Amino acid sequence: MGNLKLKGKDILKLGYPNNQSVNVALEVMKRNFATKNIHYVKSLLKEILIHPENFEKDLTFGQIAETLLSSKKTEKRMLNSQRAAFQVFGNNISDEAKNQLYTALKLPISTQGALMPDAHSGYGLPIGGVLAVENAVIPYGVGMDIGCRMSLSILDTPVSYLNGARDKYEKALAEHTKFGMYETHKSHIDHEIFDRDTFDLIPILRRLKGKAIKQMGSSGGGNHFVEFGEVEITEEDEQIGLPKGKYLGILSHSGSRGMGAEIAQYYSRVAVEQCPLPKEAQQFAWLDLSTHLGLEYWTAMNLAGDYASACHDDIHRRLVKAVGGRVKARIENHHNFAWKETHNGKEVIVHRKGATPANENELGMIPGSMTAKGFIVRGKGNPESLNSASHGAGRAHSRGECRSLFTEHDIKKELKLKNVTLMGGNTEEAPMAYKDIHEVMNAQSELVDILGTFQPRIVRMDR
């Protein structure tokens, strides 16, 4: 690869003002046109200088155009003295998690917030935190694992096969699922997502495309899992289209892998530079959606969300091919994302960090733990929760606490009691690490209706 020999003085000679626009132009051109002829690069820069308004929405040159059109200094943003309106659902929530939401509610862009009954403290917005803001997106409000989601496939296979042919299902999970940072599948199918020009329009995505292709169809570490289990439909719903009864199901929990993590890290760092805030609120630095960087992150976030969905499709495809049967219904939802929605008659950006979208009649999946039931739900569209619900049972103990509180023996005892086979996993994800899912569900009866359950039987996690 060539190295573009472009200097700041070359850009000044073109007529650029002696301010931040020179540094931005230098960085953008070196990042995108390292192999190009310097005369070609200068002609592009000249064109942007003459008509910056023509390049404002361009994903490659928008940042240069924006700096030329705006000479505003980066001023420190202050927090409001009053919190925006909010609602807390459930009682068993730590003060630390509440205080994290309270700080977010004082941002000058915040309009409303909510805390779900599975909430616990996180980095920036608490896990189980929901925050609506005006015309901005907070990278740490979305979280590190962009598009982390649940996906449930309900098969036409008799549920008795889980006991009768347990070895077959264990073998399928052992051979056809990959976990953590280093495990990847040997072969990949072409997926339309890799044909999208978004990968070529944003430099960080161009760099991450190879990693995304390699990690396709794999799952993360920590609390991510793929499992076979018993689905019970207790209420008929035309969207699911299945009669009441028991079915064999595949449930997966994972996100956008290394690609999402690197997008989150990069834009969180950029947001902090663009949007200085008081120390206690620094992690809530936002990107204005009217700016090039805001648009860039929004585009990258949506691609990462679609990639996470594609990974789940691939996981389920591989397993169905291995064990047979046909998919009769599919229920899935993101729970780390930001959406454009209308609340109180106004368009806002709703961040759900570890929260399930629960718009009226929207289906979702809320898992319990490796031994506890999860729930198939239908949203009620409750405005006080910003049409949201919990994303799981929520942690009762931190990962550090789990290491000192629980042993492998404790986990084995619990697994045997509940007739669950575990492949991988560790004490950090012990069933006892989580809140009681039934208490969590009781605390959100105003947010969702329960349509069915999923009882894990064979669980695969990272080791």
Side-chain angles (χ1 to χ4, degrees), residues 150 152 154 231-237 239-240 251 330-335 355-368 373-381 387-392 437 440-442 444-454:
M150 301 304 307
L152 171 68
I154 304 173
V231 175
E232 183 171 10
I233 301 293
T234 51
E235 293 292 328
E236 289 185 17
D237 179 276
Q239 294 177 81
I240 301 174
L251 182 63
R330 188 84 177 270
I331 297 157
E332 51 190 331
N333 60 270
H334 284 336
H335 51 223
T356 301
N359 297 296
E360 194 171 358
N361 291 325
E362 184 172 13
L363 298 182
M365 181 68 215
I366 300 175
K373 280 181 178 174
F375 291 84
I376 300 165
V377 296
R378 180 176 57 211
K380 290 187 171 183
N387 299 356
S388 310
S390 85
H391 84 308
I437 186 67
V440 169
M441 296 310 294
N442 289 340
Q444 56 187 349
S445 56
E446 300 163 54
L447 311 183
V448 290
D449 288 319
I450 294 169
L451 302 177
T453 58
F454 177 90

Side-chain angles (χ1 to χ4, degrees), residues 80-101:
N80 293 339
S81 54
Q82 297 291 312
R83 300 192 287 243
F86 70 97
Q87 188 73 38
V88 176
F89 294 87
N91 304 313
N92 189 13
I93 297 171
S94 70
D95 288 341
E96 194 183 348
K98 288 178 185 171
N99 289 331
Q100 285 182 323
L101 179 71

Side-chain angles (χ1 to χ4, degrees), residues 20 70-77 270-277:
Q20 184 61 15
S70 149
S71 55
K72 283 187 288 189
K73 288 207 311 291
T74 306
E75 292 169 15
K76 190 163 192 173
R77 317 298 217 284
V270 168
V272 170
E273 288 165 10
Q274 300 284 313
C275 178
L277 282 161

Side-chain angles (χ1 to χ4, degrees), residues 260-320:
E262 290 200 43
I263 290 169
Q265 282 166 336
Y266 173 72
Y267 288 101
S268 295
R269 195 169 63 244
V270 168
V272 170
E273 288 165 10
Q274 300 284 313
C275 178
L277 282 161
K279 193 163 183 248
E280 74 274 18
Q282 227 170 357
Q283 294 125 9
F284 299 115
W286 67 83
L287 295 168
D288 191 313
L289 283 177
S290 307
T291 66
H292 174 74
L293 280 166
L295 179 68
E296 203 175 272
Y297 171 77
W298 188 260
T299 306
M301 176 196 78
N302 275 284
L303 184 72
D306 289 348
Y307 172 73
S309 177
C311 277
H312 283 269
D313 288 348
D314 197 55
I315 291 164
H316 289 236
R317 177 189 66 80
R318 288 172 188 274
L319 288 176
V320 173

Side-chain angles (χ1 to χ4, degrees), residues 83-89 93-107 110 112-116 119-122 124-132 284 351 386:
R83 300 192 287 243
F86 70 97
Q87 188 73 38
V88 176
F89 294 87
I93 297 171
S94 70
D95 288 341
E96 194 183 348
K98 288 178 185 171
N99 289 331
Q100 285 182 323
L101 179 71
Y102 296 161
T103 303
L105 291 165
K106 289 183 179 178
L107 298 172
S110 294
Q112 192 184 339
L115 215 46
M116 300 301 103
H120 53 95
S121 62
L125 208 57
I127 315 300
V130 183
L131 184 70
F284 299 115
H351 300 74
L386 286 155

